[in-house]
Amino acid sequence: MRVPVSWLREYVSFDLPPRELGERLSMTGTKLEALHRRGVPRALERYRVGRVLSREQHPNADRLSLCSVDIGAGEPQQIVCGARNFEAGATVAVALPGAVLPDGTELRVAKLRGLESHGMMLSERELDLGQDHDGIMLLPDDWPVGDALIDHLAIADDVLEFEITSNRPDCQNVHGIAREVSAVLDTDLADWPGTEPEPTGEGKAEDYVKARIDAPDMCPRWAARVFTNVRVGPSPPWLKARISAAGMRPISNVVDITNYVMLAIGEPTHAFDLDKVAGREIIVRRAADGERVTTLDGQDRVLDTDTLVIADAEKPSAVAGLMGSEWSEVTAGTTTVLMECANFDGPTTQASSIRLGLRTEGSSRWEKGLDPHLPPKALRLASQLMVELAGATLVPGEIDLHGDLPEPPVVPLRRERLEGLIGVAYADDEVDRALGRLGYEWEGPGWRVPTWRAADTTREVDLIEEVARIRGLERVPAEMPGGHPGGGRLNPDERLRRRVVDVLRGAGLSEAATLTLWDLGMPERLRLGAGDRRAALVELQNPMSAEWAAMRTLVFPGLLGSARRNLAMSAPRVALFEIGHVFLKGDGRLPDQPSRVAGVLAGEGAGFFAAKGVVEALFEAARVEAPAFRPVDEPFLHPGRAAAAGDGFVGELHPLVAEAFELEPGVAVFELGLDGLRGRPPELVLYRDVTSFPPLRQDIAVVVAEDVPAGRVVEVVRSAGGAELTRIEVFDVYRGPQVGEGRKSLALHLVFQAPDRTLTDAEADAVRERIVAALAAEVGGELRA
Amino acid sequence: MDLDALVSDAQARIAAATGSAALEQVRIDVLGRKAPLVLALRELGSLDPEERRARGADLNRARRSLEELVDRRARELAEAELEERLRSDRLDVTLPGIVPPRGYTHLIEGTRRDILDVFVGFGYRMVDGPEIDTVHYNFDALNHAPTHPSRQVTDTFYVCDDVVLRTHTSPVQIRTMEAGPPPVYMATAGRCYRRDTPDATHTAMFTQIEGLVVDRGITLGHLKGTLLGFARAIFGAEREVRLRPHFFPFTEPSVEVDVSCFNCARDGSPCRVCRGEGWVEILGAGMVDPNLYGYVDGYDPEEVSGFAFGMGVERVAGLRHDIPDIRLLWENDLRFMEQFG
Ligand SMILES: [Zn+2]
């Protein structure tokens, strides 16, 4: 909301400079977004009201006039002028040498075709008051010659731009902002603007137009007045100045008046050319399905039954609250105007606005819900301006259709509750004045809410908010809550997450954050089969782009793009991981959303075993027994270089998948559920004596057939070894002539240890013999000499 | 034989020996088989018993002291010679070390930890909530009017008519209150989603941290004190906070919270961070709207009151580290990440 300071001063007086005022309002709930300076930047005294004493043809130029202009004090000034829209006697706006125009140009005494010009008579556009540049601006003849122009016309203004929160449509107008100012500064607010003109027209309003509301749920109130003898033309400069400063474009006096009323008091109003209203009949009704209207912006729009229209006997004349139609538009030839001041339902207007893709100054007010008691105030102000500015005759009477209007509530306010919630003591007077200035009235046990706040203020806590903000939050003391029970802690998930992050970081992987959203082609790029649960994506109904259309079911694919980009920037080695949720369709209303950790290793040193080592380190750090790494078929992994690991996997990318992600072969990935890393019993490790009795170490080399996995050999050794065999490590694999074709030799490092005694060589040898026998029996293994 | 003269002469020779070889020669001369001292000891047998005992004690004492002296000198010389050898075995210590592979913490993760740790220090318990949640938790139970703009399909991602990608972590407020009675001191963190066109300060996905406190006698002053403590922990010990009234559906009163600028002298001169205003907006907060208690059991607004706050982790990270565009945080460029370790 843009509020010209000169306009604001009409409703409330204040001494603060505009920026300070804006800051005070920021601190009480009306946030100053920006402060604009409009119009003449400085040297305002160089702008005067002048009167043209004479106007003659310039002797040396056909298109120029030579004028003598009275500027009050001193000699009349000689001014050369190019405009032709005035005669001697005209009252004009004069800029004298030394004046600075809004565009920054400084005016000097100039010689035009040999004759000096001591100033300039100004057009609207030169003063940034409007678009009119056809001639100079003609001022009312009762403005005293020699007066400073700024005393009559806002040729320079500060404009405060506020952010208005959605609960405060009452602040989307200058008078509403003035009310806030009056409360914050504890000063008087002017009455609602507008004085009733004499209704001197013929007949009565209802003689000119019949109206009815067919959809009262969407239109609680419809009111209008009729004006005859309307002369459509340009608005006077002051009105143009205000509308322009408030951010709208002046159009014509009648349209500008409707906008002025909206900007002044917040009621969007609409003017119909009554002669164009078929049957001189207004029906406020739902549109028929498929009914069409051409709105003022020239768009042909198709309506539906959830859209409210202001129709005449034949067709819609306006989409209620949004925009009028071309065929009932006020134009230069209009003489009879029907001025509508209604109340439209907020949600209805909002929904129509979204469906039609049409948001206007009016709809942005309606959608938040406006006071149904505003129309009479709006009609009064509009009538005054129609009579004064458009020469209109007000027809007596008005149309005002409405049912019972809601009575604003009376809300009690307990002092102890106020002070208990805010933590500050308030004096009686402070509370009363804050609420009084905002329009609340004390009535019996509580405060009568003003009609323009009835939607927003219904409970005690809402009154508490009003008092607290107006009296200022600076005085609220900063304290820590006193009586809390302690026991702050990270939850187990967070502790696990941190452990995982720290382990992976220590293993040389960097944490990444990738988008949780996928395009729908991702399952295909990952070669996921139709039956794969991870191919059934949770899709968005309203994605922003095809790129982000569904939720991920795996974490690692997001890392592949990051890896590729880093490799492309010539990182020799890329190792990334991410912890996050995946989203799997389940039986419940919400998808399953487990946490997973995934990693990618690419470039130097990448490969299956590098990734597997990271996974093993993770399990070790989590103090969870590492799973058996069995070969596994994952469609996105190299079939010969992939292993299942708990509820996840580790492996090198399938070359086709690598290609789809523009990566070289050999990139390794892993992904695990965090649940699988959660130790049972959580976190608690019990002491074992590992130092009192030294371990015995022995190495063996066993030759087995090529197709016997090392994991199987380790399994056999472990089960044969018993409790005293505490550690087995495969430290070498050898293939060659010494072990024969189709065979391999595995070197194992064995550690024997007992918690209660030092093992003897004889004991260790006995275990070793058991192991050798088991290897021979179960995997055909032979000890290698 | 003058024993004293012999000993002092030997001491001088031991001290003067400048190398292991020279010392060995001295040892042979003063303690060897032909050394006068040793010969004198051998001749003791020819003396009468009384004289033998006295003379023997003197001679043995002299020999022991010289032996010790030789040993000590030998150690000294050996050390000196080792030093000499080591000094010539010299590395260029300015060459780079062999660095183990390093991984970096993501700035979002690091910031998230820093913030959560502050609230854990204040006695909050951490809880989690789902990223895909129902309209009930995301909007209805948070007192959003049916027409509230953020419900619109232009603002919120819908999975189906009553399920959304959560737009904030605030649904965890309701889930936490459903899970148990007051008092509540809760913090939560996680990803949220809004249909914002990405720019330097917005991404469609972002990370939020939320706090909720409900207890007897909780005031707006407690909110202010809590956020002051937070601001000082995260932005520096000198910081102040201010509360500006605002509107959120699920708090009343609602406030936006500014922290005093940490980048400038706050004298109105141009500043990239606060644009000369001296204050930087960091989060939204407020007193829990009593309507929320109506959606859960066991919370009587006449008995308890509370506050809640929510902040964007990327925004805090961006402010703290002077990052001009938070989209950088989602690019995972190692050159960017390296800076923050
Ligand atoms: Zn600053």
Side-chain angles (χ1 to χ4, degrees), chain B residues 260-280:
Chain B
S260 55
C261 186
F262 39 84
N263 183 58
C264 69
R266 307 185 66 222
D267 55 3
S269 45
C271 169
R272 198 171 57 254
V273 173
C274 70
R275 295 180 304 169
E277 288 178 17
W279 295 94
V280 186

Side-chain angles (χ1 to χ4, degrees), chain B residues 6-330:
Chain B
L6 190 136
V7 167
S8 68
D9 176 55
Q11 282 172 338
R13 287 189 62 196
I14 291 167
T18 52
S20 298
L23 181 65
E24 180 59 14
Q25 191 53 57
V26 174
R27 194 188 63 77
I28 291 167
D29 291 350
V30 299
L31 291 166
R33 278 182 302 131
K34 294 177 180 161
L37 186 62
V38 177
L39 293 175
L41 275 164
R42 206 173 294 155
E43 286 158 11
L44 279 178
S46 58
L47 299 179
D48 62 64
E50 197 145 313
E51 200 181 348
R52 184 180 349 165
R53 198 177 310 117
R55 182 75 176 154
D58 287 350
L59 288 173
N60 273 317
R61 189 160 46 246
R63 186 174 68 175
R64 271 198 308 276
S65 85
L66 288 179
E67 277 169 355
E68 274 172 29
L69 213 55
V70 167
D71 285 351
R72 193 181 316 144
R73 183 63 186 153
R75 279 198 305 276
E76 279 172 18
L77 289 171
E79 266 177 43
E81 282 158 18
L82 179 65
E83 279 305 311
E84 193 61 30
R85 269 203 316 283
L86 293 181
R87 218 165 281 134
S88 62
D89 180 18
R90 191 176 276 273
L91 295 177
D92 178 356
V93 297
T94 62
L95 286 171
I98 300 165
V99 183
R102 270 187 304 172
Y104 309 116
T105 306
H106 198 280
L107 200 49
I108 294 176
E109 169 71 15
T111 308
R112 184 178 167 282
R113 281 194 191 190
D114 289 349
I115 297 170
L116 285 173
D117 288 350
V118 172
F119 290 105
V120 168
F122 288 169
Y124 292 38
R125 291 188 184 200
M126 238 202 103
V127 300
D128 275 333
E131 281 175 40
I132 299 184
D133 212 338
T134 59
V135 166
H136 170 80
Y137 284 111
N138 197 75
F139 291 126
D140 298 346
L142 290 169
N143 203 36
H144 284 61
T147 55
H148 194 275
S150 64
R151 291 179 185 254
Q152 290 174 16
V153 293
T154 50
D155 288 38
T156 296
F157 291 109
Y158 281 81
V159 168
C160 58
D161 289 349
D162 61 351
V163 176
V164 297
L165 307 194
R166 67 175 175 190
T167 59
H168 45 191
T169 40
S170 307
V172 182
Q173 290 186 28
I174 302 297
R175 290 179 174 276
T176 302
M177 288 195 283
E178 276 180 348
V184 167
Y185 291 79
M186 171 283 274
T188 187
R191 285 184 175 183
C192 304
Y193 303 81
R194 287 183 196 170
R195 254 175 130 269
D196 284 340
T197 307
D199 63 24
T201 55
H202 296 85
T203 47
M205 189 174 90
F206 57 99
T207 315
Q208 211 174 43
I209 288 181
E210 181 105 4
L212 171 71
V213 165
V214 183
D215 203 345
R216 287 177 188 277
I218 294 295
T219 70
L220 188 66
H222 292 142
L223 172 63
K224 195 177 192 177
T226 298
L227 295 178
L228 179 65
F230 155 75
R232 289 183 173 175
I234 295 296
F235 294 106
E238 310 297 312
R239 299 288 83 76
E240 297 296 333
V241 295
R242 71 172 188 188
L243 310 183
R244 273 184 294 104
H246 196 69
F247 171 73
F248 302 111
F250 44 105
T251 47
E252 180 78 345
S254 302
V255 292
E256 282 184 331
V257 182
D258 298 337
V259 61
S260 55
C261 186
F262 39 84
N263 183 58
C264 69
R266 307 185 66 222
D267 55 3
S269 45
C271 169
R272 198 171 57 254
V273 173
C274 70
R275 295 180 304 169
E277 288 178 17
W279 295 94
V280 186
E281 184 185 326
I282 48 165
L283 57 85
M287 303 305 290
V288 177
D289 192 292
N291 286 7
L292 266 62
Y293 302 131
Y295 284 92
V296 295
D297 292 329
Y299 287 75
D300 177 357
E302 289 292 312
E303 294 291 323
V304 293
S305 54
F307 63 73
F309 55 85
M311 70 186 90
V313 174
E314 289 84 354
R315 174 165 175 78
V316 173
L319 284 171
R320 274 173 108 191
H321 300 281
D322 200 14
I323 296 166
D325 186 332
I326 62 168
R327 284 172 293 189
L328 287 166
L329 292 170
W330 297 96

Side-chain angles (χ1 to χ4, degrees), chain A residues 19 26-33 163 165-167 346-348 350 354 367 414 417 419-423 456 459-466 468-469 473-491 493-494 497-499 501-502 504-517 538-545 548 551-552 558-559 562 565-566 569 571 573-581 583 589-591 593, chain B residues 101-106 108-110 112-114 116-117 119-120 122-136 143 146-149 152-163 165 175 183 185 191 193-198 204-205 213 215 217-226 228-229 242-247 252-256 258 275 281 287 289-291 301-307 329-335 337 341:
Chain A
R19 177 160 300 279
S26 285
M27 295 309 292
T28 52
T30 315
K31 187 179 180 190
L32 182 69
E33 293 255 277
E163 175 195 338
T165 53
S166 62
N167 61 325
T348 302
Q350 185 188 40
I354 293 167
E367 68 192 16
R414 292 166 293 175
R417 192 74 185 152
E419 297 180 345
L421 198 66
I422 305 301
D456 170 50
R459 306 162 304 167
E460 185 177 40
V461 70
D462 301 323
L463 291 181
I464 290 174
E465 193 258 343
E466 296 279 51
R469 71 182 181 87
L473 300 182
E474 297 89 338
R475 69 200 272 186
V476 175
E479 301 167 328
M480 288 299 277
H484 80 71
R489 72 183 71 124
L490 299 174
N491 55 345
D493 278 5
E494 177 71 10
R497 178 196 167 99
R498 290 187 181 194
R499 176 171 294 175
V501 169
D502 294 345
L504 292 177
R505 202 164 54 113
L509 282 76
S510 292
E511 193 185 18
T514 71
L515 287 176
T516 320
L517 294 157
V538 175
E539 290 182 31
L540 302 182
Q541 279 186 339
N542 56 333
M544 284 177 80
S545 67
W548 305 339
M551 302 304 282
R552 68 181 176 192
L559 295 170
S562 298
R565 281 194 300 277
N566 278 297
M569 281 171 305
R573 163 189 174 276
V574 174
L576 296 171
F577 75 96
E578 178 172 1
I579 298 173
H581 291 104
F583 305 86
R589 193 151 153 224
L590 295 178
Q593 306 176 41
Chain B
R102 270 187 304 172
Y104 309 116
T105 306
H106 198 280
I108 294 176
E109 169 71 15
R112 184 178 167 282
R113 281 194 191 190
D114 289 349
L116 285 173
D117 288 350
F119 290 105
V120 168
F122 288 169
Y124 292 38
R125 291 188 184 200
M126 238 202 103
V127 300
D128 275 333
E131 281 175 40
I132 299 184
D133 212 338
T134 59
V135 166
H136 170 80
N143 203 36
T147 55
H148 194 275
Q152 290 174 16
V153 293
T154 50
D155 288 38
T156 296
F157 291 109
Y158 281 81
V159 168
C160 58
D161 289 349
D162 61 351
V163 176
L165 307 194
R175 290 179 174 276
Y185 291 79
R191 285 184 175 183
Y193 303 81
R194 287 183 196 170
R195 254 175 130 269
D196 284 340
T197 307
M205 189 174 90
V213 165
D215 203 345
I218 294 295
T219 70
L220 188 66
H222 292 142
L223 172 63
K224 195 177 192 177
T226 298
L228 179 65
R242 71 172 188 188
L243 310 183
R244 273 184 294 104
H246 196 69
F247 171 73
E252 180 78 345
S254 302
V255 292
E256 282 184 331
D258 298 337
R275 295 180 304 169
E281 184 185 326
M287 303 305 290
D289 192 292
N291 286 7
E302 289 292 312
E303 294 291 323
V304 293
S305 54
F307 63 73
L329 292 170
W330 297 96
E331 282 174 7
N332 303 315
D333 185 328
L334 288 166
R335 298 168 304 178
M337 292 157 75

Side-chain angles (χ1 to χ4, degrees), chain A residues 438-632:
Chain A
L438 290 172
Y440 295 86
E441 287 170 24
W442 177 253
E443 240 177 64
W447 291 89
R448 170 76 68 184
V449 177
T451 56
W452 56 89
R453 297 298 301 283
D456 170 50
T457 310
T458 53
R459 306 162 304 167
E460 185 177 40
V461 70
D462 301 323
L463 291 181
I464 290 174
E465 193 258 343
E466 296 279 51
V467 175
R469 71 182 181 87
I470 293 297
R471 294 276 76 104
L473 300 182
E474 297 89 338
R475 69 200 272 186
V476 175
E479 301 167 328
M480 288 299 277
H484 80 71
R489 72 183 71 124
L490 299 174
N491 55 345
D493 278 5
E494 177 71 10
R495 273 178 291 173
L496 178 62
R497 178 196 167 99
R498 290 187 181 194
R499 176 171 294 175
V500 168
V501 169
D502 294 345
V503 167
L504 292 177
R505 202 164 54 113
L509 282 76
S510 292
E511 193 185 18
T514 71
L515 287 176
T516 320
L517 294 157
W518 279 0
D519 68 280
L520 298 179
M522 183 65 93
E524 198 184 320
R525 281 205 295 292
L526 293 173
R527 307 175 73 242
L528 296 173
D532 195 313
R533 193 183 174 197
R534 298 165 301 188
L537 305 187
V538 175
E539 290 182 31
L540 302 182
Q541 279 186 339
N542 56 333
M544 284 177 80
S545 67
E547 246 182 311
W548 305 339
M551 302 304 282
R552 68 181 176 192
T553 55
L554 287 159
V555 176
F556 83 86
L559 295 170
L560 299 179
S562 298
R564 184 189 61 234
R565 281 194 300 277
N566 278 297
L567 289 169
M569 281 171 305
S570 48
R573 163 189 174 276
V574 174
L576 296 171
F577 75 96
E578 178 172 1
I579 298 173
H581 291 104
V582 297
F583 305 86
L584 298 161
K585 284 187 174 168
D587 301 331
R589 193 151 153 224
L590 295 178
D592 296 339
Q593 306 176 41
S595 281
R596 290 173 79 81
V597 53
V600 58
L601 303 176
E604 278 172 16
F608 175 84
F609 289 108
K612 183 179 171 185
V614 171
V615 172
E616 287 171 321
L618 260 185
F619 281 106
E620 192 170 316
R623 299 199 189 93
V624 175
E625 195 181 322
F629 289 86
R630 296 177 324 279
V632 71

Side-chain angles (χ1 to χ4, degrees), chain A residues 626-672:
Chain A
F629 289 86
R630 296 177 324 279
V632 71
D633 280 327
E634 282 286 12
F636 40 81
L637 295 180
H638 185 309
R641 299 180 168 205
D647 61 352
F649 50 81
V650 52
E652 290 179 20
L653 280 188
H654 193 290
L656 294 175
V657 174
E659 194 187 327
F661 285 88
E662 296 167 49
L663 288 164
E664 298 293 318
V667 172
V669 298
F670 66 85
E671 180 160 334
L672 310 166

